[in-house]
Amino acid sequence: MAQKNDERPSVWRPVDPTRHHRENGWDYRGRAIYHFTLVVEERYPLFGTLEGDSAEKAFVRLNNFGHRVYRMLDELAQFYKGKGFALKVLAQKVMPDHIHLVIQVLEPLPQSIGAVVRGFKSGCTKVYKQEYLGDRAFCGGEGNGGLGGGENATGVHGSGENGTRVHGSGVHETGVYGSGWTGRSEGLGGENGEEALVQFARIFAGRGSIWEQNPAYYHERILHAPGQLRHMIDYVKDNPRRLWLKKHHPNLFKLHRKTEVCCLSFTTLGNHFLLDWPDRQMVEMSRSATDGQIQERLQAVLAAAHNGAITYTAAISKGEKLIARTLREQRYPLVVLLNDGFPKEGSPHERYYKPGGLYFEACAKGQLLLLEPTEQTILDTSIQAAVEETLRRKAEARHYRYTPIPVTTDRYRFAALNEMARRMSK
């Protein structure tokens, strides 16, 4: 079940490769604001490298190709204006291996906004060919795919589309979308940049596109709700800092499959040392709890956290969400059980998963552990028995007749998460 609030980790679901992920019934030619994410095939850092001595000073040093792509984004609205597209780029960020673009459609378009994105992607691939494949820079002879001994390989000069020679300074006279040029090929950057570039060139040679193979062409999000735009612009600008944190704290952002906790199996991400904390508390609140009851429970939880207790919660009900958010804001450690949130094992997105929203910050500081039970754990007989006993007791307390619920329902799964949290917090 997707989580759509900021009290729980944002759930990012990989695109189903069998279908497009567009919103049904949405007019993609009408006025709207979109956030697009475009990912390089195999996540090769084609555009540059992440640098900086700290997360706050992190930045992306773009290579020649990255600079050209950046200028293409800069000129995107003006270029398409000549084709009858009224657009405004609200935010952009060229990361080493992907691009973020927040764009506003000002007036109804002659074609879908997808035509703009696909055109930009094709333009980037064309520039890649000029930058790295022009003048047989990677040929080194007939079809061997290696770095050649031609003039481009030395970074002296290249060849523009019009056949003129341009020097490696990368001066662009007529704009990115005008006549092309080939500047100095500075490679990908980093310790193994040249090797990675050669490896990617071999993959590219058989595909014809620098972008990941995806029937949906790109990942897109339509910004519907108030406040989403500001949040998304901040997120785009904050990408280098977040990437720096992830790179320098890899163990806190690594998915661990089949982690055993209390004889149950979970997929986990975050600070596993929280599981060894001796003082623990569990937060579970009824959906019908009043505001007064929630506040009373919150104060008790905060007092225990202040005295060193680790809090376990599934953060499902209104009260649980409020308590989890407050604990996070006050930087108390938290263990959260997820119903469904991690990429499937073996999926191409598994390697790059990270929690979204403010939970990312808690994870980077070692204050968060996320646990998602395996299907085996959900169906564990001891968990099923505990859930049935809990639900039966609640029904009797309310003078209801208890009726067993199927293990496939959300109600069962949420009750099971609470039973797991209760078991781990003892």
Side-chain angles (χ1 to χ4, degrees):
M1 181 175 178
Q3 301 148 350
K4 299 182 180 180
N5 53 73
D6 65 351
E7 288 81 16
R8 290 173 60 81
S10 298
V11 171
W12 175 81
R13 297 181 182 278
V15 176
D16 184 342
T18 64
R19 64 178 178 84
H20 297 295
H21 65 291
R22 308 294 173 243
E23 288 196 17
N24 293 330
W26 182 258
D27 181 6
Y28 283 89
R29 294 177 299 177
R31 296 182 182 90
I33 299 177
Y34 300 88
H35 171 225
F36 296 107
T37 303
L38 312 177
V39 180
V40 173
E41 175 68 15
E42 297 292 337
R43 288 276 187 162
Y44 281 102
L46 286 187
F47 305 127
T49 56
L50 181 74
E51 300 189 15
D53 297 331
S54 66
E56 288 66 30
K57 296 180 180 179
F59 68 98
V60 177
R61 187 181 297 280
L62 298 177
N63 57 26
N64 234 37
F65 181 39
H67 278 296
R68 296 185 69 181
V69 169
Y70 177 87
R71 291 198 296 275
M72 288 178 69
L73 286 169
D74 234 16
E75 299 176 8
L76 188 70
Q78 187 62 33
F79 174 77
Y80 275 97
K81 182 178 180 180
K83 298 179 177 293
F85 290 75
L87 307 170
K88 183 177 182 180
V89 175
L90 303 179
Q92 65 181 64
K93 181 64 68 176
V94 181
M95 297 297 289
D97 57 11
H98 65 281
I99 290 172
H100 290 287
L101 173 64
V102 179
I103 192 167
Q104 182 177 10
V105 177
L106 302 173
E107 299 292 342
L109 304 177
Q111 299 180 58
S112 162
I113 185 64
V116 174
V117 180
R118 289 191 295 271
F120 170 75
K121 290 177 65 177
S122 296
C124 290
T125 295
K126 183 178 181 180
V127 169
Y128 173 85
K129 290 179 181 179
Q130 296 169 2
E131 187 73 19
Y132 295 124
L133 303 182
D135 274 359
R136 299 169 66 180
F138 282 89
C139 295
E142 283 296 328
N144 66 5
L147 281 168
E151 291 176 311
N152 253 8
T154 65
V156 178
H157 51 66
S159 175
E161 285 184 331
N162 58 6
T164 59
R165 308 297 289 179
V166 295
H167 291 284
S169 60
V171 177
H172 190 9
E173 301 290 343
T174 59
V176 175
Y177 286 95
S179 61
W181 57 278
T182 302
R184 179 170 57 242
S185 295
E186 297 175 351
L188 300 182
E191 296 179 1
N192 301 312
E194 186 174 286
E195 180 182 348
L197 179 58
V198 173
Q199 186 178 359
F200 184 82
R202 290 169 178 160
I203 295 175
F204 172 83
R207 292 195 55 242
S209 173
I210 67 171
W211 305 105
E212 69 175 354
Q213 300 184 59
N214 188 332
Y217 300 111
Y218 48 82
H219 177 70
E220 145 240 307
R221 184 176 183 182
I222 306 170
L223 306 185
H224 295 291
Q228 274 188 311
L229 176 59
R230 182 72 264 164
H231 173 78
M232 190 56 67
I233 289 177
D234 290 344
Y235 170 82
V236 169
K237 292 180 178 179
D238 196 41
N239 253 244
R241 185 186 69 88
R242 294 163 60 88
L243 179 59
W244 193 97
L245 287 171
K246 186 176 180 182
K247 279 183 172 291
H248 286 78
H249 303 282
N251 290 334
L252 296 176
F253 292 96
K254 181 180 179 181
L255 280 172
H256 297 267
R257 303 290 182 177
K258 297 182 180 178
T259 302
E260 295 294 325
V261 185
C262 295
C263 299
L264 300 173
S265 179
F266 297 85
T267 295
T268 57
L269 181 145
N271 186 355
H272 289 78
F273 287 106
L274 298 182
L275 293 172
D276 299 326
W277 208 272
D279 193 5
R280 310 168 188 177
Q281 63 177 334
M282 184 260 190
V283 173
E284 179 184 11
M285 294 205 72
S286 169
R287 296 178 184 271
S288 59
T290 65
D291 290 343
Q293 290 171 329
I294 293 173
Q295 287 300 319
E296 182 179 354
R297 181 73 173 119
L298 171 62
Q299 296 309 312
V301 170
L302 288 175
H306 182 73
N307 290 326
I310 293 286
T311 305
Y312 288 73
T313 181
I316 298 167
S317 70
K318 172 184 172 183
E320 294 164 6
K321 292 174 182 176
L322 173 64
I323 292 172
R325 182 177 68 240
T326 306
L327 288 167
R328 184 196 63 224
E329 291 172 347
Q330 299 193 20
R331 300 184 179 181
Y332 289 117
L334 191 61
V335 177
V336 180
L337 286 94
L338 303 175
N339 175 38
D340 180 16
F342 294 139
K344 291 183 178 180
E345 187 172 7
S347 77
H349 310 285
E350 181 179 19
R351 177 182 171 189
Y352 307 104
Y353 172 81
K354 58 182 181 294
L358 297 178
Y359 270 69
F360 179 92
E361 310 298 332
C363 195
K365 293 180 174 69
Q367 298 165 351
L368 177 69
L369 177 64
L370 304 176
L371 300 97
E372 179 185 308
T374 63
E375 201 62 25
Q376 175 187 353
T377 296
I378 287 289
L379 301 177
D380 182 88
T381 54
S382 66
I383 293 295
Q384 290 189 52
V387 168
E388 183 174 358
E389 175 60 28
T390 297
L391 295 179
R392 184 187 302 276
R393 188 172 61 251
K394 289 181 178 180
E396 292 174 351
R398 297 181 180 182
H399 306 290
Y400 294 152
R401 180 180 178 181
Y402 171 70
T403 303
I405 58 175
V407 296
T408 56
T409 62
D410 284 340
R411 187 185 178 198
Y412 169 81
R413 297 181 77 93
F414 290 151
L417 291 179
N418 280 321
E419 291 301 331
M420 296 170 204
R422 185 174 295 107
R423 180 181 295 188
M424 287 184 281
S425 63
K426 290 181 178 179

